[in-house]
Amino acid sequence: MAGTQSGGKEISVGGELRRQPNRFTDRITPDGTWPVEPGRYRLIVSLACPWAHRSIIVRGLLGLQDVISMGVVDPLRDDTGWRFTLDEGDQDPVLKIKYLSEAYLATDPTYDRRVTVPSIVDVPSGKVVTNDFPQITRDLHTEWRAFHRAGAPDLYPEAMRDEIEAVAEPIYRNINNGVYRCGFATTQEAYDNAYTDLWDELDRVSARLESRRYLMGDRITEADIRLFPTLVRFDAVYHGHFKCNRQKLTEMPVLWAYARDLFQTPGFGDTVDWDHIKRHYYVTHRHLNPSGVVPQGPDPSVWNEPHNRA
């Protein structure tokens, strides 16, 4: 179906968000075309982006910081895409490029779609290996195991993978992507459908977490890492900016305690950058917030209140 563009994301004629497929889907494996090799690859992220956030968390929890380097783009995305203006000389210090789009064009000179994060770039060639964000974290678990830190958690245990995917798929469809479906809807019907899907799923997840500490039970897994980036942005961005306003996260006792539990776990809260998150959404999405004014609240200190879930 033909569509129009809004905020760099495809919107269908029916008013509903349609995401473009990931263009680069190669994988880094011990015996593949792109071999596992410490120091060879660079993970490019935005601290504002929930899809990139999950890769930051996994990289840290598994202790891969010295194995896969990381570059951070400016939270404000302009017409040329993600920029490296946070670094000296306005260029990434390793890749020596000013825009992530340069790596995309080095890989495919005809590329004319949206440039996305996270992306993993091969440093020697400057080419993008993958921007397939779901597979990136799976492969950090499975393909880089030889370089995990001692005592690293098994976030994607083989015996639980089918269950993790079964739980995480509706979370992605209705919550992770659901907030965007609400925010970028251009018809009332599309918004209403997305809103209903979002809150039905949040209620289901809340009910699941009433009887278990984490989504899979008593251990943190990939499923929790996929949900957390949306929850941590909920009151600051999605509740108002994306019209996901039945309740605030702080008004949902189970989910709020669960989110604080994760936030206070090393490797989660210390990866949250409130300034990047709020400036990206409220300044970049001028069609939703024409003034570009960034709200002062909410108070982030509440995230450190006791969660009582241990």
Side-chain angles (χ1 to χ4, degrees):
M1 179 182 294
T4 58
Q5 292 290 319
S6 178
K9 300 175 176 66
E10 291 185 308
I11 305 297
S12 76
V13 170
E16 184 177 354
L17 178 145
R18 289 287 187 267
R19 287 191 176 273
Q20 70 179 44
N22 295 317
R23 165 62 180 84
F24 303 106
T25 57
D26 285 352
R27 296 177 60 193
I28 301 168
T29 61
D31 55 358
T33 302
W34 300 102
V36 168
E37 185 179 319
R40 176 168 176 172
Y41 303 100
R42 188 157 176 82
L43 173 67
I44 304 300
V45 301
S46 162
L47 302 182
C49 172
W51 320 112
H53 195 177
R54 62 171 68 176
S55 65
I56 298 170
I57 293 171
V58 170
R59 172 178 173 268
L61 292 178
L62 298 180
L64 294 172
Q65 296 94 323
D66 295 331
V67 179
I68 304 171
S69 67
M70 187 172 79
V72 180
V73 295
D74 192 296
L76 303 184
R77 189 184 65 228
D78 65 13
D79 290 340
T80 55
W82 296 108
R83 309 168 296 167
F84 292 102
T85 54
L86 304 179
D87 297 300
E88 185 176 354
D90 293 342
Q91 69 173 9
D92 181 84
V94 175
L95 299 174
K96 307 300 182 184
I97 57 177
K98 292 181 177 293
Y99 296 91
L100 181 56
S101 59
E102 295 176 51
Y104 276 59
L105 292 172
T107 314
D108 178 2
T110 67
Y111 189 80
D112 62 356
R113 305 293 296 279
R114 184 168 54 95
V115 173
T116 65
V117 287
S119 291
I120 293 183
V121 180
D122 174 53
V123 175
S125 67
K127 295 182 177 181
V128 178
V129 178
T130 178
N131 69 336
D132 187 357
F133 68 89
Q135 193 63 50
I136 285 174
T137 53
R138 293 188 195 107
D139 285 347
L140 291 179
H141 298 307
T142 59
E143 307 304 315
W144 290 84
R145 191 174 296 275
F147 299 98
H148 291 182
R149 66 173 175 82
D154 188 353
L155 302 170
Y156 198 52
E158 189 167 0
M160 301 176 70
R161 289 176 192 173
D162 288 345
E163 184 182 2
I164 287 172
E165 295 300 334
V167 169
E169 194 283 327
I171 287 175
Y172 167 77
R173 184 177 68 250
N174 299 319
I175 299 177
N176 301 145
N177 198 45
V179 294
Y180 284 89
R181 289 174 55 214
C182 288
F184 288 101
T186 58
T187 67
Q188 190 67 49
E189 181 181 9
Y191 167 75
D192 290 346
N193 290 338
Y195 183 94
T196 298
D197 291 343
L198 168 67
W199 288 104
D200 284 352
E201 192 64 36
L202 283 169
D203 287 341
R204 280 192 290 270
V205 171
S206 180
R208 181 181 181 90
L209 289 166
E210 286 180 354
S211 60
R212 62 191 78 199
R213 185 173 181 181
Y214 306 113
L215 286 170
M216 294 294 112
D218 60 358
R219 61 190 293 179
I220 293 172
T221 67
E222 168 89 3
D224 301 292
I225 294 167
R226 296 187 199 181
L227 178 58
F228 175 76
T230 300
L231 296 184
V232 82
R233 289 161 174 76
F234 201 88
D235 288 3
V237 177
Y238 303 142
H239 177 270
H241 188 55
F242 279 0
K243 307 181 187 72
C244 302
N245 58 355
R246 190 191 80 178
Q247 291 168 277
K248 295 178 180 177
L249 179 67
T250 54
E251 297 168 345
M252 303 184 71
V254 174
L255 282 177
W256 174 224
Y258 163 79
R260 294 200 314 280
D261 188 0
L262 290 176
F263 185 89
Q264 294 168 32
T265 300
F268 284 83
D270 51 342
T271 65
V272 175
D273 190 307
W274 298 112
D275 173 64
H276 277 224
I277 289 169
K278 291 195 294 184
R279 280 200 293 134
H280 169 70
Y281 284 96
Y282 288 102
V283 178
T284 300
H285 299 159
R286 286 299 183 106
H287 61 297
L288 298 181
N289 185 39
S291 69
V293 171
V294 180
Q296 290 279 352
D299 179 5
S301 67
V302 297
W303 282 89
N304 292 312
E305 294 178 353
H307 55 79
N308 301 316
R309 285 182 65 83

